């Protein structure tokens, strides 16, 4: 990690210019503590900036702000993001220039209007302004403030920041500038421990709604009674729609004993934070309050552009469980669901091969003197590994295909058992499909730039009565015969004398196990949200929750989801309420 020491680095600019987003990443990259001046003020006075503005008035607030600025100026080796108006009052700009390096993040009126329109509720100066009024206000205000901003040591164009790459580029350029200036750069052991511990111990109480799903197609639930007990003990309220737990065989009484409030559908969808499994429908969005937050599985084929527009109109925050990741490479929900569905797919295959289900009437593992079933698994990720493990345990012959040699190597090492593996070599694939009894599609498509699909010509050569199970039918399908099946298409059907099992969300067959796994992931998120001052706080501070958001204040902020609907997307950091 790059380690620099400078007396102070002040990031200034109009609200919405990206001071906090860039400041946090810059501080992390150069190994210095970070201070958001507005957050520091809120922690000191135990009120939000909006509350202080309303209660004290701007004049008194600016005096308080100057006092805090004079205090933090005494800290050494720190990156400080100021409020938008901080440089423009008293002699604040002179103080900062004398104390360290000031950096003006400059953005134009149009870009600032777009960014601030989604976060104005938390900004006392603009919260009641409509778009055109806001644009005029910014233009007039920016004209007054720029003479102060332009006194900064250096000025960077922050108007074209659209995504993480743009933000990283300006950070790298800023570091390069600092290096060239040789502004007191040296090795440091400074850590945030040098700063005073101004900790606000107040917990933010959340109002969480859990609606009942359509149990014919979705039985899973986000929280078990044990999870509810922990959430309620942390001071939150959680409302369950009547009968919500029926799919995992928990009664309303059990949830009520754990502290949940059993209520109507209307009250559940009036909550600030809604946890469900299936993606939100138009009917459900219509019930939600403005600026609510809804968390669900993504399942893009079940969504439509109308749903995206409906969420945009209500400035909804929407998170997809499959997108959540602490580091961009591990996906807790996606991995848990894949592991469950991989193992469950072998159980389904064993059942579907029986005469009772119209199969070939063969036993998965065979018996002495009788050959075992041959299983081909397409995809060597978490689901593929779980399916291979389950099939091997039943005595089946297993072959695994993937175009990522690293995944194949890891699978072989993890299984600790000899298993045939291959990349998508056409001759090997064709020969396997000629003899195979079961094919399980486990390819991962979310976020991957390349989509591998097994051609129908390969499926045509399979033996009569063979079975295909597609675990990715809700991601568009792994086979040409299962790709993007239209609404109402049979989920179990024959094509080219091959039985196709395309029931989405296979983990719903073992709904209680899945719900337990999901509870283990979501409960800590809820507890962290309470400690981080609610949804706004956890969006700002928690990379797991933030990575799951594909809509923020009604704006698309995830490239994968936006591209699916042919929409533009911006980096969420540019829309967070406290820049």
């Amino acid at each position: 990690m790059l380690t620099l020491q400078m007396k102070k680095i002040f990031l200034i600019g109009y609200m919405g210019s990206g001071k906090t987003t860039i400041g946090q990443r810059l501080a992390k990259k150069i190994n210095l503590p970070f201070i958001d001046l507005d957050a520091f003020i809120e922690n000191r006075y135990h009120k939000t900036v909006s509350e202080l503005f309303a209660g004290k008035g701007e004049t008194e607030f600016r005096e308080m702000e100057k006092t805090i600025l004079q205090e933090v100026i005494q800290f050494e080796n720190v990156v400080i993001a100021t409020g938008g108006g901080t440089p423009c009052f008293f002699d604040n700009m002179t103080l900062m220039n004398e104390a360290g390096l000031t950096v003006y993040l400059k953005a134009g009126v149009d870009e600032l209007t777009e960014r601030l329109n989604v976060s104005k509720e938390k900004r006392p100066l603009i919260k009641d302004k409509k778009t055109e009024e806001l644009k005029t206000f910014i233009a007039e205000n920016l004209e007054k403030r720029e003479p102060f901003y332009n006194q900064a040591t250096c000025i960077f164009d922050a108007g074209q920041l659209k995504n993480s790459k743009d933000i990283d580029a300006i950070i790298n350029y800023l570091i390069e500038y600092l290096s060239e200036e040789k502004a007191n750069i040296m090795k440091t052991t400074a850590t945030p421990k040098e700063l005073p511990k101004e900790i606000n111990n107040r917990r933010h109480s959340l109002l969480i709604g859990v609606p009942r799903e359509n149990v014919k197609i979705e039985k899973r639930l986000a929280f078990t009674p044990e999870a509810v007990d922990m959430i309620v003990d942390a001071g939150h309220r959680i409302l369950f729609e009547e009968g919500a737990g029926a799919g995992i065989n928990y009664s309303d009484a059990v949830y009520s004993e754990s502290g949940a409030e059993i209520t109507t559908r209307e009250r559940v969808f009036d909550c600030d934070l809604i946890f469900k499994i299936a993606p939100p429908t138009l009917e459900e969005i219509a019930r939600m309050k403005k600026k609510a937050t809804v968390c669900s599985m993504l399942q893009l084929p079940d969504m439509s552009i109308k749903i995206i527009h409906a969420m945009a109109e209500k400035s909804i925050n929407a998170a997809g469980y499959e997108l959540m990741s602490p580091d961009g490479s591990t996906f807790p929900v996606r991995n848990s669901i894949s592991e469950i569905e991989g193992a469950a797919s072998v159980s389904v295959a064993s059942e579907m091969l029986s005469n009772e289900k119209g199969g070939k009437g063969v036993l998965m593992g065979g018996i002495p003197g009788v050959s075992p079933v041959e299983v081909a698994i397409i995809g060597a990720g978490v689901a593929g590994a779980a399916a291979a493990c389950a099939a091997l345990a039943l005595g089946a012959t297993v072959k695994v295909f993937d175009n990522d040699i690293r995944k194949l190597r890891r699978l072989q090492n993890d299984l600790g058992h000899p298993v045939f593996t291959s990349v998508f070599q056409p001759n090997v694939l064709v020969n396997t499909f000629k003899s195979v009894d079961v094919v399980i599609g486990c390819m991962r498509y979310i976020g991957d730039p390349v989509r591998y699909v097994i051609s129908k010509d390969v499926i045509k050569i399979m033996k009569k009565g063979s079975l295909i199970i597609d675990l990715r039918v809700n991601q568009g399908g792994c086979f040409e015969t299962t790709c993007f099946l239209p609404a109402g298409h049979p989920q179990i059907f024959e094509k080219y004398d091959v039985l196709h099992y395309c029931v989405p969300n296979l983990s719903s067959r073992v709904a209680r196990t899945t719900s337990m796994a999901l509870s283990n992931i979501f409960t800590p998120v809820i507890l962290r949200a309470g400690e981080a001052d609610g949804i706004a706080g956890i969006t700002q501070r928690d990379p797991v929750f933030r990575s799951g958001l594909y809509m923020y204040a009604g704006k698309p902020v995830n490239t994968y989801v936006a591209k699916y609907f042919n929409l533009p997307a911006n980096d969420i950091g540019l829309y967070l309420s406290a820049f």
Side-chain angles (χ1 to χ4, degrees):
M1 178 183 290
L2 180 63
T3 306
L4 303 178
Q5 177 175 357
M6 303 196 65
K7 288 186 176 180
K8 295 103 189 170
I9 301 172
F10 298 93
L11 299 180
I12 68 171
Y14 201 76
M15 52 182 166
S17 59
K19 300 183 294 292
T20 296
T21 301
I22 292 173
Q24 287 175 330
R25 296 197 193 184
L26 173 64
K28 183 177 181 180
K29 194 155 188 177
I30 63 177
N31 197 26
L32 291 182
F34 172 75
I35 292 177
D36 181 307
L37 195 63
D38 283 347
F40 199 95
I41 293 170
E42 291 176 344
N43 284 341
R44 170 63 58 83
Y45 295 102
H46 304 299
K47 289 183 179 180
T48 65
V49 169
S50 296
E51 291 168 343
L52 290 170
F53 249 89
K56 303 287 187 181
E58 183 174 13
T59 300
E60 189 171 346
F61 172 79
R62 294 302 178 187
E63 291 174 352
M64 296 163 61
E65 181 181 54
K66 179 181 179 179
T67 300
I68 295 297
L69 177 64
Q70 290 173 326
E71 183 177 334
V72 300
I73 276 179
Q74 304 306 312
F75 304 151
E76 296 294 334
N77 315 316
V78 65
V79 177
I80 301 169
T82 72
T86 307
C88 310
F89 291 85
F90 309 109
D91 57 348
N92 291 348
M93 196 66 211
T94 301
L95 288 174
M96 290 187 286
N97 275 330
E98 291 176 350
L101 178 75
T102 51
V103 180
Y104 172 27
L105 299 176
K106 186 172 184 176
V109 174
D110 290 339
E111 185 63 35
L112 290 171
T113 302
E114 180 183 355
R115 297 179 191 173
L116 291 172
N117 221 10
V118 303
S119 61
K120 62 185 179 182
E121 290 298 322
K122 293 186 181 245
R123 299 178 184 274
L125 292 176
I126 62 172
K127 66 178 182 178
D128 297 322
K129 299 186 183 298
K130 296 181 180 179
T131 302
E132 286 305 315
E133 292 177 317
L134 176 61
K135 187 173 182 178
T136 301
F137 176 85
I138 292 172
E140 294 175 351
N141 218 21
L142 193 58
E143 185 178 2
K144 295 175 184 177
R145 291 185 175 185
E146 280 217 300
F148 296 95
Y149 294 156
N150 287 331
Q151 295 174 33
T153 310
C154 55
I155 300 174
F156 285 88
D157 182 5
Q160 299 303 314
L161 302 181
K162 297 294 183 183
N163 51 47
S164 292
K165 288 183 178 179
D166 294 338
I167 295 172
D168 289 339
I170 198 170
I171 289 171
N172 290 334
Y173 191 56
L174 180 55
I175 291 172
E176 183 181 346
Y177 175 86
L178 297 175
S179 300
E180 290 174 355
E181 289 293 303
K182 301 185 182 299
N184 299 321
I185 298 174
M186 58 192 232
K187 295 289 182 181
T188 182
T189 57
T191 72
K193 293 179 181 177
E194 295 176 351
L195 303 180
K197 298 281 187 178
E198 302 238 1
I199 300 174
N200 179 3
N201 290 320
R202 295 175 303 152
R203 285 178 176 267
H204 190 96
S205 179
L206 299 173
L207 182 60
I208 305 161
V210 180
R212 184 180 66 241
E213 304 284 357
N214 181 352
V215 295
K216 290 183 179 179
I217 59 175
E218 184 56 77
K219 296 179 173 63
R220 300 169 294 180
L221 212 60
F223 300 108
T224 62
E226 294 79 7
V228 170
D229 186 59
M230 293 176 64
I231 292 168
V232 173
D233 279 350
H236 307 297
R237 292 176 62 198
I238 183 163
L239 278 58
F240 271 67
E241 184 180 352
E242 294 173 329
I248 57 174
N249 296 307
Y250 280 123
S251 66
D252 290 342
V254 172
Y255 274 108
S256 181
E257 289 170 3
S258 297
E261 301 173 38
I262 309 302
T263 186
T264 62
R265 190 169 182 82
E266 287 72 21
R267 286 193 65 204
V268 166
F269 278 102
D270 197 43
C271 291
D272 301 317
L273 176 59
I274 299 164
F275 271 84
K276 59 193 312 291
I277 300 298
T281 64
L282 289 173
E283 176 265 331
E284 291 170 340
I285 295 169
R287 293 176 182 271
M288 295 178 196
K289 62 169 65 173
K290 274 197 168 187
K291 300 188 178 178
T293 299
V294 58
C295 304
S296 71
M297 303 299 283
L298 200 54
Q299 298 174 14
L300 290 178
D302 295 337
M303 297 179 67
S304 68
I305 191 66
K306 290 182 179 179
I307 289 175
I308 299 296
H309 289 327
M311 289 194 287
E313 288 176 7
K314 285 198 164 185
S315 299
I316 297 291
N317 305 320
Y321 299 142
E322 302 97 318
L323 302 174
M324 292 182 177
S325 171
D327 54 14
S329 59
T330 56
F331 298 85
V333 174
R334 193 189 302 177
N335 290 349
S336 290
I337 296 294
S338 294
E339 192 170 15
I340 292 167
E341 293 190 343
S345 67
V346 176
S347 175
V348 170
S350 184
E351 180 183 345
M352 297 302 294
L353 287 174
S354 68
N355 293 107
E356 186 177 347
K357 295 294 183 179
K360 296 170 64 177
V362 294
L363 187 65
M364 180 71 75
I367 58 172
V370 179
S371 299
V373 164
E374 185 177 337
V375 178
I377 297 171
I378 310 301
V382 176
C389 184
L392 287 169
L394 290 176
T397 299
V398 176
K399 296 182 178 181
V400 183
F401 292 83
D402 198 297
N403 226 36
D404 189 333
I405 196 69
R406 295 171 300 175
K407 289 183 180 180
L408 295 173
R409 182 178 293 112
R410 184 170 63 244
L411 180 140
Q412 281 199 330
N413 292 336
D414 291 347
L415 288 178
H417 188 287
V419 61
F420 176 92
T421 59
S422 174
V423 296
F424 293 130
Q425 209 286 331
N427 290 336
V428 177
L429 197 65
V430 166
N431 289 334
T432 297
F433 270 65
K434 285 180 179 179
S435 61
V436 78
D437 298 292
V438 179
V439 179
I440 302 175
C442 304
M443 292 298 294
R444 191 190 83 175
Y445 296 124
I446 296 178
D448 282 4
V450 179
R451 185 182 188 90
Y452 292 99
V453 175
I454 302 299
S455 165
K456 64 182 179 182
D457 293 330
V458 179
I459 295 170
K460 286 178 181 179
I461 65 175
M462 292 177 67
K463 296 183 295 187
K464 182 177 181 179
S466 298
L467 171 66
I468 285 177
I469 297 177
D470 195 341
L471 297 184
R472 298 295 180 249
V473 67
N474 57 2
Q475 294 178 25
C478 294
F479 309 91
E480 191 175 354
T481 49
T482 65
C483 275
F484 298 100
L485 296 175
H489 192 283
Q491 296 177 341
I492 303 175
F493 59 93
E494 278 196 13
K495 186 78 171 179
Y496 307 125
D497 292 325
V498 175
L499 185 62
H500 289 62
Y501 185 92
C502 298
V503 178
N505 308 318
L506 201 58
S507 59
S508 192
R509 285 173 58 98
V510 285
R512 182 178 284 203
T513 295
T514 306
S515 299
M516 289 177 177
L518 293 177
S519 287
N520 292 339
I521 298 169
F522 299 149
T523 303
V525 173
I526 295 296
L527 300 182
R528 292 197 299 271
E531 295 171 352
D533 196 24
I535 297 304
I538 196 171
T539 302
Q540 181 73 263
R541 304 175 197 175
D542 192 310
V544 177
F545 184 80
R546 185 169 61 247
S547 64
L549 287 165
Y550 60 91
M551 298 282 288
Y552 185 73
K555 300 286 187 179
V557 291
N558 179 275
T559 303
Y560 169 73
V561 176
K563 186 177 180 181
Y564 184 89
F565 292 107
N566 197 27
L567 295 171
N570 283 338
D571 187 279
I572 189 172
L574 302 177
Y575 288 135
L576 294 178
S577 59
F579 283 82

